[in-house]
Amino acid sequence: MSSEDFTVVHLMRHGEVHNPEGVLYGRRPGYHLSDLGRKMADQVAEHLAGRDITHVVASPLERAQETAAPISAALGLTTATDERLIEAANVFEGKTFGVGDGALKKPGNWKYLTNPFRPSWGEPYIEQVVRMMAALGAARDAARGHEAVAVSHQLPIWIVRSFAERRRLWHDPRKRQCTLASLTSFTFHGDKIISVGYSEPARDLVPSHLLAGAKPVKGKVKAFGA
């Protein structure tokens, strides 16, 4: 096998977002990286600087573009935009989800919670799989024989990883292995995914309550699907 037969696409989750109100921001515009989030992006850029990356692409949302910027700069590349990498749609956008308070306490919202398998509160999981697999394929084709970075969001990354690893798509959001500024790396042989890896180059910067598997803490917002 030649090296041209292998391509790696790193799906990266964006860094921490400035969100003092603690809302589920989803696809809403105007949410930018915090100072800590920018440090995360810079640290991942340093981590990736020596890699054979020839293509960088990001979701159109500000936090993804801002995360991709230092990576592109370090590699002398221009960040492309792919709408298919965007966050999952969610009817609770703009609402809060604190422990013991927030949108889920309001009976008027319970109608959106009838089917966790689809899910009933947002973009169907299978639709996320379709668009994210297409985005992965496009990034792979743009970097054939090399590596690509595609900056996206927690839920779409976790869903497409679950699909690739043949797991069920419905899940407990608290158990997603997709922390801030993490890399979920898909290795292709030709057009086929042959392995999926995971790493956290900025783990030392991630607040403990935002790590995968962390228990909710009252007064601390964990932005699932952000």
Side-chain angles (χ1 to χ4, degrees), residues 110-126:
W110 296 349
K111 62 186 177 183
Y112 299 117
L113 306 176
T114 56
N115 186 355
F117 307 107
R118 184 179 185 265
S120 52
W121 54 83
E123 182 183 10
Y125 292 139
I126 192 60

Side-chain angles (χ1 to χ4, degrees), residues 8-174:
V8 179
V9 178
H10 305 282
L11 272 183
M12 179 180 177
R13 185 183 173 194
H14 60 78
E16 185 190 63
V17 174
H18 179 66
N19 180 22
E21 298 83 10
V23 302
L24 182 76
Y25 34 82
R27 294 181 175 181
R28 295 163 70 92
Y31 284 89
H32 299 268
L33 292 184
S34 65
D35 290 341
L36 179 60
R38 294 181 187 280
K39 290 179 182 178
M40 291 176 182
D42 289 342
Q43 187 158 309
V44 177
E46 292 176 8
H47 173 78
L48 294 174
R51 307 281 303 199
D52 183 26
I53 294 167
T54 60
H55 181 64
V56 178
V57 61
S59 154
L61 296 174
E62 294 100 328
R63 57 193 184 271
Q65 293 284 323
E66 291 164 1
T67 299
I71 298 171
S72 293
L75 297 166
L77 300 172
T78 299
T79 302
T81 300
D82 191 331
E83 296 278 349
R84 295 170 294 194
L85 293 170
I86 200 167
E87 176 62 286
N90 192 309
V91 298
F92 295 116
E93 284 182 14
K95 298 180 174 62
T96 60
F97 276 82
V99 177
D101 60 5
L104 298 186
K105 283 192 68 177
K106 299 178 181 178
N109 290 328
W110 296 349
K111 62 186 177 183
Y112 299 117
L113 306 176
T114 56
N115 186 355
F117 307 107
R118 184 179 185 265
S120 52
W121 54 83
E123 182 183 10
Y125 292 139
I126 192 60
E127 291 182 12
Q128 294 179 54
V129 167
V130 170
R131 65 176 172 86
M132 289 296 289
M133 285 297 293
L136 270 176
R140 174 203 63 213
D141 291 345
R144 285 277 182 184
H146 304 279
E147 300 181 32
V149 176
V151 183
S152 187
H153 307 267
Q154 187 191 59
L155 179 55
I157 294 172
W158 181 249
I159 289 300
V160 76
R161 177 183 174 181
S162 297
F163 175 79
E165 294 182 332
R166 299 184 179 181
R167 290 195 304 273
R168 68 190 188 198
L169 301 183
W170 59 275
H171 61 281
D172 181 343
R174 296 169 297 181

Side-chain angles (χ1 to χ4, degrees), residues 22 97-101 174 207-211 213-224:
F97 276 82
V99 177
D101 60 5
R174 296 169 297 181
S208 59
H209 72 283
L210 294 177
L211 292 170
K215 295 181 179 180
V217 177
K218 191 170 185 178
K220 297 286 188 179
V221 175
K222 184 164 184 175
F224 297 126

